[in-house]
Amino acid sequence: MPSPDSLKRAKIMSIANQKGGVGKTTTTINLAAALAETGSRVLLIDLDPQGNASTGLGIDHKKRQVTTYDLLVGDATPGDAIQVTDIENLLVIPATTDLSSADIELISNEKRSFLLHDALRQLSMDSYQLDYILIDCPPSLNILTVNAMVASDSVIVPLQSEFFALEGLSQLMLTIREVRQSANKNLRIEGIVLTMYDRRNNLSQQVETDARENLGGLVFDTLIPRNVRLSEAPSFAMPVLSYDTNSSGAEAYRNLAAEIRKKERKPLRKVS
């Protein structure tokens, strides 16, 4: 039986958008690091076959012997897969390209949408005393993303500050709504975060205006800037908070973490 204490302790958030290049993995890595910096115990689950979140946290491919793929197919427990990172309070379950075959391999499993949900509610999770679990989803609405949403309390949606940013968002909202109706009635949208924002660019300002007019309070106050340090940090296999702790990108993710922690005192919004 799952432990009630462990289920209440860790808040599980998926970071999802079926569009690629919106800052999804960057947001997952740096939000996890920012939450860990506050003293929270954080687990990042890399559910993207590209494995970029694992790379961005310094997990070499040779060290990815047990991964999220093994967790989903039942060959491993979370305890087998969890690795420490160089960031204090931040743990990771890495990913490899093995995940790319998950759709086909899990198709015959009747509980295929609940595999991650069940894995994260094993008794072995208690010992980690986690405050947050962040799941980096692939840039598609496939069985991996559905697994993440079924396992999660809420979804964070990175939205790039560019033309057509809001296009495609309706499909993501529909998927969240379907998951709520069929598998996870408590799933909520934690918030939508505007990424790659350039205050000097009229287009960025227009996207922000449109997003706030259409989505209201779902949009975080924090804006993630287009920042060179944010772009450079992954090539050094570290979050921007470690790479350049005083950069505008690092400060933005600290603000986002603070905003999320503050929102925990308020009820999360339902998807209408």
PDB file of all heavy atoms in Angstrom, residues 11-46:
ATOM      1  N   LYS A  11       4.941  17.240  -4.097  1.00  0.00           N
ATOM      2  CA  LYS A  11       4.058  17.798  -5.116  1.00  0.00           C
ATOM      3  C   LYS A  11       4.644  17.446  -6.473  1.00  0.00           C
ATOM      4  O   LYS A  11       5.824  17.716  -6.738  1.00  0.00           O
ATOM      5  CB  LYS A  11       3.962  19.315  -4.956  1.00  0.00           C
ATOM      6  CG  LYS A  11       3.080  19.976  -6.014  1.00  0.00           C
ATOM      7  CD  LYS A  11       2.903  21.446  -5.718  1.00  0.00           C
ATOM      8  CE  LYS A  11       1.961  22.089  -6.716  1.00  0.00           C
ATOM      9  NZ  LYS A  11       1.713  23.505  -6.399  1.00  0.00           N
ATOM     10  N   ILE A  12       3.850  16.831  -7.337  1.00  0.00           N
ATOM     11  CA  ILE A  12       4.336  16.352  -8.627  1.00  0.00           C
ATOM     12  C   ILE A  12       3.838  17.286  -9.729  1.00  0.00           C
ATOM     13  O   ILE A  12       2.628  17.499  -9.885  1.00  0.00           O
ATOM     14  CB  ILE A  12       3.863  14.914  -8.903  1.00  0.00           C
ATOM     15  CG1 ILE A  12       4.260  14.004  -7.737  1.00  0.00           C
ATOM     16  CG2 ILE A  12       4.456  14.402 -10.203  1.00  0.00           C
ATOM     17  CD1 ILE A  12       3.768  12.574  -7.869  1.00  0.00           C
ATOM     18  N   MET A  13       4.773  17.832 -10.502  1.00  0.00           N
ATOM     19  CA  MET A  13       4.426  18.758 -11.576  1.00  0.00           C
ATOM     20  C   MET A  13       5.056  18.300 -12.887  1.00  0.00           C
ATOM     21  O   MET A  13       6.259  18.034 -12.945  1.00  0.00           O
ATOM     22  CB  MET A  13       4.909  20.178 -11.243  1.00  0.00           C
ATOM     23  CG  MET A  13       4.236  20.783 -10.019  1.00  0.00           C
ATOM     24  SD  MET A  13       4.783  22.483  -9.649  1.00  0.00           S
ATOM     25  CE  MET A  13       6.399  22.149  -8.923  1.00  0.00           C
ATOM     26  N   SER A  14       4.238  18.213 -13.923  1.00  0.00           N
ATOM     27  CA  SER A  14       4.740  17.939 -15.268  1.00  0.00           C
ATOM     28  C   SER A  14       5.021  19.254 -15.972  1.00  0.00           C
ATOM     29  O   SER A  14       4.237  20.201 -15.855  1.00  0.00           O
ATOM     30  CB  SER A  14       3.700  17.160 -16.080  1.00  0.00           C
ATOM     31  OG  SER A  14       3.541  15.861 -15.588  1.00  0.00           O
ATOM     32  N   ILE A  15       6.110  19.314 -16.701  1.00  0.00           N
ATOM     33  CA  ILE A  15       6.401  20.471 -17.539  1.00  0.00           C
ATOM     34  C   ILE A  15       6.184  20.005 -18.967  1.00  0.00           C
ATOM     35  O   ILE A  15       6.919  19.144 -19.474  1.00  0.00           O
ATOM     36  CB  ILE A  15       7.838  21.002 -17.321  1.00  0.00           C
ATOM     37  CG1 ILE A  15       7.961  21.626 -15.914  1.00  0.00           C
ATOM     38  CG2 ILE A  15       8.161  22.078 -18.358  1.00  0.00           C
ATOM     39  CD1 ILE A  15       8.095  20.659 -14.784  1.00  0.00           C
ATOM     40  N   ALA A  16       5.144  20.518 -19.620  1.00  0.00           N
ATOM     41  CA  ALA A  16       4.701  19.940 -20.888  1.00  0.00           C
ATOM     42  C   ALA A  16       4.306  20.994 -21.907  1.00  0.00           C
ATOM     43  O   ALA A  16       3.725  22.028 -21.573  1.00  0.00           O
ATOM     44  CB  ALA A  16       3.511  18.997 -20.640  1.00  0.00           C
ATOM     45  N   ASN A  17       4.637  20.706 -23.142  1.00  0.00           N
ATOM     46  CA  ASN A  17       4.152  21.431 -24.310  1.00  0.00           C
ATOM     47  C   ASN A  17       4.531  20.591 -25.519  1.00  0.00           C
ATOM     48  O   ASN A  17       5.695  20.205 -25.651  1.00  0.00           O
ATOM     49  CB  ASN A  17       4.772  22.829 -24.422  1.00  0.00           C
ATOM     50  CG  ASN A  17       4.075  23.701 -25.454  1.00  0.00           C
ATOM     51  OD1 ASN A  17       3.656  23.209 -26.509  1.00  0.00           O
ATOM     52  ND2 ASN A  17       3.957  24.991 -25.184  1.00  0.00           N
ATOM     53  N   GLN A  18       3.558  20.288 -26.368  1.00  0.00           N
ATOM     54  CA  GLN A  18       3.865  19.403 -27.494  1.00  0.00           C
ATOM     55  C   GLN A  18       4.724  20.076 -28.554  1.00  0.00           C
ATOM     56  O   GLN A  18       5.278  19.405 -29.430  1.00  0.00           O
ATOM     57  CB  GLN A  18       2.576  18.851 -28.137  1.00  0.00           C
ATOM     58  CG  GLN A  18       1.812  19.828 -29.012  1.00  0.00           C
ATOM     59  CD  GLN A  18       0.800  20.637 -28.215  1.00  0.00           C
ATOM     60  OE1 GLN A  18       0.967  20.869 -27.023  1.00  0.00           O
ATOM     61  NE2 GLN A  18      -0.252  21.066 -28.879  1.00  0.00           N
ATOM     62  N   LYS A  19       4.859  21.405 -28.467  1.00  0.00           N
ATOM     63  CA  LYS A  19       5.754  22.114 -29.384  1.00  0.00           C
ATOM     64  C   LYS A  19       7.186  22.018 -28.864  1.00  0.00           C
ATOM     65  O   LYS A  19       7.443  22.179 -27.675  1.00  0.00           O
ATOM     66  CB  LYS A  19       5.350  23.580 -29.504  1.00  0.00           C
ATOM     67  CG  LYS A  19       4.036  23.824 -30.237  1.00  0.00           C
ATOM     68  CD  LYS A  19       3.761  25.306 -30.378  1.00  0.00           C
ATOM     69  CE  LYS A  19       4.754  25.976 -31.312  1.00  0.00           C
ATOM     70  NZ  LYS A  19       4.429  27.407 -31.555  1.00  0.00           N
ATOM     71  N   GLY A  20       8.124  21.770 -29.745  1.00  0.00           N
ATOM     72  CA  GLY A  20       9.521  21.748 -29.359  1.00  0.00           C
ATOM     73  C   GLY A  20      10.109  23.148 -29.354  1.00  0.00           C
ATOM     74  O   GLY A  20       9.542  24.082 -29.929  1.00  0.00           O
ATOM     75  N   GLY A  21      11.225  23.313 -28.680  1.00  0.00           N
ATOM     76  CA  GLY A  21      11.937  24.589 -28.706  1.00  0.00           C
ATOM     77  C   GLY A  21      11.297  25.711 -27.930  1.00  0.00           C
ATOM     78  O   GLY A  21      11.551  26.884 -28.211  1.00  0.00           O
ATOM     79  N   VAL A  22      10.469  25.377 -26.931  1.00  0.00           N
ATOM     80  CA  VAL A  22       9.788  26.416 -26.170  1.00  0.00           C
ATOM     81  C   VAL A  22      10.440  26.671 -24.813  1.00  0.00           C
ATOM     82  O   VAL A  22       9.966  27.498 -24.034  1.00  0.00           O
ATOM     83  CB  VAL A  22       8.287  26.069 -25.961  1.00  0.00           C
ATOM     84  CG1 VAL A  22       7.585  25.945 -27.296  1.00  0.00           C
ATOM     85  CG2 VAL A  22       8.132  24.789 -25.149  1.00  0.00           C
ATOM     86  N   GLY A  23      11.524  25.949 -24.522  1.00  0.00           N
ATOM     87  CA  GLY A  23      12.190  26.131 -23.236  1.00  0.00           C
ATOM     88  C   GLY A  23      11.690  25.180 -22.174  1.00  0.00           C
ATOM     89  O   GLY A  23      11.853  25.432 -20.968  1.00  0.00           O
ATOM     90  N   LYS A  24      11.124  24.065 -22.594  1.00  0.00           N
ATOM     91  CA  LYS A  24      10.554  23.093 -21.660  1.00  0.00           C
ATOM     92  C   LYS A  24      11.626  22.471 -20.753  1.00  0.00           C
ATOM     93  O   LYS A  24      11.504  22.491 -19.521  1.00  0.00           O
ATOM     94  CB  LYS A  24       9.809  22.014 -22.445  1.00  0.00           C
ATOM     95  CG  LYS A  24       9.241  20.879 -21.616  1.00  0.00           C
ATOM     96  CD  LYS A  24       8.560  19.866 -22.502  1.00  0.00           C
ATOM     97  CE  LYS A  24       9.493  19.321 -23.571  1.00  0.00           C
ATOM     98  NZ  LYS A  24      10.700  18.634 -22.992  1.00  0.00           N
ATOM     99  N   THR A  25      12.652  21.909 -21.373  1.00  0.00           N
ATOM    100  CA  THR A  25      13.706  21.272 -20.590  1.00  0.00           C
ATOM    101  C   THR A  25      14.496  22.302 -19.787  1.00  0.00           C
ATOM    102  O   THR A  25      14.864  22.055 -18.632  1.00  0.00           O
ATOM    103  CB  THR A  25      14.644  20.468 -21.506  1.00  0.00           C
ATOM    104  OG1 THR A  25      13.891  19.429 -22.144  1.00  0.00           O
ATOM    105  CG2 THR A  25      15.784  19.843 -20.730  1.00  0.00           C
ATOM    106  N   THR A  26      14.757  23.449 -20.379  1.00  0.00           N
ATOM    107  CA  THR A  26      15.438  24.529 -19.655  1.00  0.00           C
ATOM    108  C   THR A  26      14.657  24.914 -18.408  1.00  0.00           C
ATOM    109  O   THR A  26      15.238  25.116 -17.331  1.00  0.00           O
ATOM    110  CB  THR A  26      15.610  25.757 -20.568  1.00  0.00           C
ATOM    111  OG1 THR A  26      16.444  25.412 -21.670  1.00  0.00           O
ATOM    112  CG2 THR A  26      16.232  26.919 -19.816  1.00  0.00           C
ATOM    113  N   THR A  27      13.344  24.989 -18.549  1.00  0.00           N
ATOM    114  CA  THR A  27      12.498  25.334 -17.407  1.00  0.00           C
ATOM    115  C   THR A  27      12.519  24.234 -16.356  1.00  0.00           C
ATOM    116  O   THR A  27      12.624  24.508 -15.154  1.00  0.00           O
ATOM    117  CB  THR A  27      11.051  25.596 -17.880  1.00  0.00           C
ATOM    118  OG1 THR A  27      11.032  26.790 -18.669  1.00  0.00           O
ATOM    119  CG2 THR A  27      10.102  25.758 -16.699  1.00  0.00           C
ATOM    120  N   THR A  28      12.470  22.982 -16.786  1.00  0.00           N
ATOM    121  CA  THR A  28      12.477  21.873 -15.829  1.00  0.00           C
ATOM    122  C   THR A  28      13.765  21.873 -15.015  1.00  0.00           C
ATOM    123  O   THR A  28      13.739  21.781 -13.777  1.00  0.00           O
ATOM    124  CB  THR A  28      12.324  20.526 -16.556  1.00  0.00           C
ATOM    125  OG1 THR A  28      11.193  20.562 -17.430  1.00  0.00           O
ATOM    126  CG2 THR A  28      12.121  19.403 -15.545  1.00  0.00           C
ATOM    127  N   ILE A  29      14.895  21.968 -15.701  1.00  0.00           N
ATOM    128  CA  ILE A  29      16.197  21.925 -15.021  1.00  0.00           C
ATOM    129  C   ILE A  29      16.350  23.081 -14.044  1.00  0.00           C
ATOM    130  O   ILE A  29      16.716  22.894 -12.875  1.00  0.00           O
ATOM    131  CB  ILE A  29      17.343  21.969 -16.055  1.00  0.00           C
ATOM    132  CG1 ILE A  29      17.390  20.681 -16.878  1.00  0.00           C
ATOM    133  CG2 ILE A  29      18.685  22.195 -15.348  1.00  0.00           C
ATOM    134  CD1 ILE A  29      18.377  20.748 -18.033  1.00  0.00           C
ATOM    135  N   ASN A  30      16.072  24.267 -14.509  1.00  0.00           N
ATOM    136  CA  ASN A  30      16.360  25.444 -13.691  1.00  0.00           C
ATOM    137  C   ASN A  30      15.325  25.690 -12.608  1.00  0.00           C
ATOM    138  O   ASN A  30      15.657  26.206 -11.532  1.00  0.00           O
ATOM    139  CB  ASN A  30      16.515  26.670 -14.595  1.00  0.00           C
ATOM    140  CG  ASN A  30      17.795  26.597 -15.408  1.00  0.00           C
ATOM    141  OD1 ASN A  30      18.895  26.673 -14.868  1.00  0.00           O
ATOM    142  ND2 ASN A  30      17.661  26.415 -16.714  1.00  0.00           N
ATOM    143  N   LEU A  31      14.072  25.312 -12.858  1.00  0.00           N
ATOM    144  CA  LEU A  31      13.074  25.394 -11.793  1.00  0.00           C
ATOM    145  C   LEU A  31      13.409  24.377 -10.702  1.00  0.00           C
ATOM    146  O   LEU A  31      13.313  24.688  -9.504  1.00  0.00           O
ATOM    147  CB  LEU A  31      11.677  25.129 -12.350  1.00  0.00           C
ATOM    148  CG  LEU A  31      10.545  25.083 -11.326  1.00  0.00           C
ATOM    149  CD1 LEU A  31      10.468  26.377 -10.533  1.00  0.00           C
ATOM    150  CD2 LEU A  31       9.202  24.808 -12.017  1.00  0.00           C
ATOM    151  N   ALA A  32      13.826  23.186 -11.103  1.00  0.00           N
ATOM    152  CA  ALA A  32      14.232  22.173 -10.120  1.00  0.00           C
ATOM    153  C   ALA A  32      15.401  22.684  -9.281  1.00  0.00           C
ATOM    154  O   ALA A  32      15.414  22.544  -8.054  1.00  0.00           O
ATOM    155  CB  ALA A  32      14.616  20.878 -10.833  1.00  0.00           C
ATOM    156  N   ALA A  33      16.382  23.286  -9.940  1.00  0.00           N
ATOM    157  CA  ALA A  33      17.549  23.815  -9.226  1.00  0.00           C
ATOM    158  C   ALA A  33      17.161  24.960  -8.300  1.00  0.00           C
ATOM    159  O   ALA A  33      17.684  25.078  -7.185  1.00  0.00           O
ATOM    160  CB  ALA A  33      18.604  24.276 -10.229  1.00  0.00           C
ATOM    161  N   ALA A  34      16.234  25.810  -8.758  1.00  0.00           N
ATOM    162  CA  ALA A  34      15.803  26.943  -7.939  1.00  0.00           C
ATOM    163  C   ALA A  34      15.027  26.476  -6.710  1.00  0.00           C
ATOM    164  O   ALA A  34      15.191  27.028  -5.615  1.00  0.00           O
ATOM    165  CB  ALA A  34      14.940  27.886  -8.779  1.00  0.00           C
ATOM    166  N   LEU A  35      14.200  25.454  -6.873  1.00  0.00           N
ATOM    167  CA  LEU A  35      13.477  24.906  -5.724  1.00  0.00           C
ATOM    168  C   LEU A  35      14.448  24.235  -4.752  1.00  0.00           C
ATOM    169  O   LEU A  35      14.317  24.370  -3.542  1.00  0.00           O
ATOM    170  CB  LEU A  35      12.416  23.908  -6.198  1.00  0.00           C
ATOM    171  CG  LEU A  35      11.201  24.511  -6.915  1.00  0.00           C
ATOM    172  CD1 LEU A  35      10.381  23.420  -7.593  1.00  0.00           C
ATOM    173  CD2 LEU A  35      10.325  25.302  -5.937  1.00  0.00           C
ATOM    174  N   ALA A  36      15.428  23.508  -5.308  1.00  0.00           N
ATOM    175  CA  ALA A  36      16.424  22.853  -4.468  1.00  0.00           C
ATOM    176  C   ALA A  36      17.247  23.873  -3.693  1.00  0.00           C
ATOM    177  O   ALA A  36      17.658  23.636  -2.550  1.00  0.00           O
ATOM    178  CB  ALA A  36      17.334  21.973  -5.318  1.00  0.00           C
ATOM    179  N   GLU A  37      17.490  25.024  -4.312  1.00  0.00           N
ATOM    180  CA  GLU A  37      18.279  26.079  -3.683  1.00  0.00           C
ATOM    181  C   GLU A  37      17.602  26.605  -2.416  1.00  0.00           C
ATOM    182  O   GLU A  37      18.265  27.085  -1.502  1.00  0.00           O
ATOM    183  CB  GLU A  37      18.485  27.220  -4.684  1.00  0.00           C
ATOM    184  CG  GLU A  37      19.481  28.274  -4.261  1.00  0.00           C
ATOM    185  CD  GLU A  37      19.668  29.330  -5.329  1.00  0.00           C
ATOM    186  OE1 GLU A  37      18.707  30.110  -5.589  1.00  0.00           O
ATOM    187  OE2 GLU A  37      20.753  29.398  -5.931  1.00  0.00           O
ATOM    188  N   THR A  38      16.274  26.505  -2.363  1.00  0.00           N
ATOM    189  CA  THR A  38      15.537  26.972  -1.186  1.00  0.00           C
ATOM    190  C   THR A  38      15.574  25.958  -0.048  1.00  0.00           C
ATOM    191  O   THR A  38      15.042  26.215   1.031  1.00  0.00           O
ATOM    192  CB  THR A  38      14.064  27.251  -1.541  1.00  0.00           C
ATOM    193  OG1 THR A  38      13.396  26.021  -1.837  1.00  0.00           O
ATOM    194  CG2 THR A  38      13.949  28.198  -2.721  1.00  0.00           C
ATOM    195  N   GLY A  39      16.164  24.787  -0.304  1.00  0.00           N
ATOM    196  CA  GLY A  39      16.232  23.742   0.709  1.00  0.00           C
ATOM    197  C   GLY A  39      15.231  22.628   0.493  1.00  0.00           C
ATOM    198  O   GLY A  39      15.220  21.644   1.247  1.00  0.00           O
ATOM    199  N   SER A  40      14.384  22.754  -0.527  1.00  0.00           N
ATOM    200  CA  SER A  40      13.424  21.706  -0.840  1.00  0.00           C
ATOM    201  C   SER A  40      14.141  20.505  -1.448  1.00  0.00           C
ATOM    202  O   SER A  40      15.119  20.663  -2.177  1.00  0.00           O
ATOM    203  CB  SER A  40      12.365  22.223  -1.828  1.00  0.00           C
ATOM    204  OG  SER A  40      11.605  23.250  -1.259  1.00  0.00           O
ATOM    205  N   ARG A  41      13.633  19.315  -1.161  1.00  0.00           N
ATOM    206  CA  ARG A  41      14.156  18.090  -1.756  1.00  0.00           C
ATOM    207  C   ARG A  41      13.418  17.862  -3.068  1.00  0.00           C
ATOM    208  O   ARG A  41      12.189  17.742  -3.095  1.00  0.00           O
ATOM    209  CB  ARG A  41      13.936  16.918  -0.813  1.00  0.00           C
ATOM    210  CG  ARG A  41      14.728  17.003   0.473  1.00  0.00           C
ATOM    211  CD  ARG A  41      16.118  16.436   0.326  1.00  0.00           C
ATOM    212  NE  ARG A  41      16.084  15.006   0.029  1.00  0.00           N
ATOM    213  CZ  ARG A  41      17.163  14.293  -0.314  1.00  0.00           C
ATOM    214  NH1 ARG A  41      18.328  14.884  -0.430  1.00  0.00           N
ATOM    215  NH2 ARG A  41      17.058  13.003  -0.537  1.00  0.00           N
ATOM    216  N   VAL A  42      14.161  17.789  -4.171  1.00  0.00           N
ATOM    217  CA  VAL A  42      13.554  17.762  -5.502  1.00  0.00           C
ATOM    218  C   VAL A  42      14.053  16.553  -6.293  1.00  0.00           C
ATOM    219  O   VAL A  42      15.249  16.248  -6.293  1.00  0.00           O
ATOM    220  CB  VAL A  42      13.881  19.059  -6.286  1.00  0.00           C
ATOM    221  CG1 VAL A  42      13.164  19.056  -7.633  1.00  0.00           C
ATOM    222  CG2 VAL A  42      13.497  20.295  -5.471  1.00  0.00           C
ATOM    223  N   LEU A  43      13.135  15.900  -6.973  1.00  0.00           N
ATOM    224  CA  LEU A  43      13.479  14.835  -7.921  1.00  0.00           C
ATOM    225  C   LEU A  43      13.046  15.268  -9.302  1.00  0.00           C
ATOM    226  O   LEU A  43      11.878  15.623  -9.517  1.00  0.00           O
ATOM    227  CB  LEU A  43      12.771  13.526  -7.549  1.00  0.00           C
ATOM    228  CG  LEU A  43      12.842  12.393  -8.588  1.00  0.00           C
ATOM    229  CD1 LEU A  43      14.286  11.935  -8.798  1.00  0.00           C
ATOM    230  CD2 LEU A  43      11.957  11.216  -8.173  1.00  0.00           C
ATOM    231  N   LEU A  44      13.978  15.261 -10.253  1.00  0.00           N
ATOM    232  CA  LEU A  44      13.656  15.538 -11.655  1.00  0.00           C
ATOM    233  C   LEU A  44      13.578  14.204 -12.397  1.00  0.00           C
ATOM    234  O   LEU A  44      14.522  13.406 -12.345  1.00  0.00           O
ATOM    235  CB  LEU A  44      14.709  16.442 -12.288  1.00  0.00           C
ATOM    236  CG  LEU A  44      14.420  16.980 -13.696  1.00  0.00           C
ATOM    237  CD1 LEU A  44      15.198  18.265 -13.958  1.00  0.00           C
ATOM    238  CD2 LEU A  44      14.769  15.962 -14.785  1.00  0.00           C
ATOM    239  N   ILE A  45      12.460  13.958 -13.063  1.00  0.00           N
ATOM    240  CA  ILE A  45      12.288  12.745 -13.858  1.00  0.00           C
ATOM    241  C   ILE A  45      12.373  13.116 -15.330  1.00  0.00           C
ATOM    242  O   ILE A  45      11.550  13.897 -15.833  1.00  0.00           O
ATOM    243  CB  ILE A  45      10.937  12.065 -13.559  1.00  0.00           C
ATOM    244  CG1 ILE A  45      10.867  11.659 -12.084  1.00  0.00           C
ATOM    245  CG2 ILE A  45      10.729  10.848 -14.459  1.00  0.00           C
ATOM    246  CD1 ILE A  45       9.544  11.058 -11.670  1.00  0.00           C
ATOM    247  N   ASP A  46      13.360  12.596 -16.009  1.00  0.00           N
ATOM    248  CA  ASP A  46      13.547  12.861 -17.437  1.00  0.00           C
ATOM    249  C   ASP A  46      12.706  11.855 -18.215  1.00  0.00           C
ATOM    250  O   ASP A  46      13.023  10.671 -18.271  1.00  0.00           O
ATOM    251  CB  ASP A  46      15.021  12.726 -17.798  1.00  0.00           C
ATOM    252  CG  ASP A  46      15.327  13.286 -19.190  1.00  0.00           C
ATOM    253  OD1 ASP A  46      14.368  13.526 -19.949  1.00  0.00           O
ATOM    254  OD2 ASP A  46      16.521  13.452 -19.510  1.00  0.00           O
TER     255      ASP A  46
END
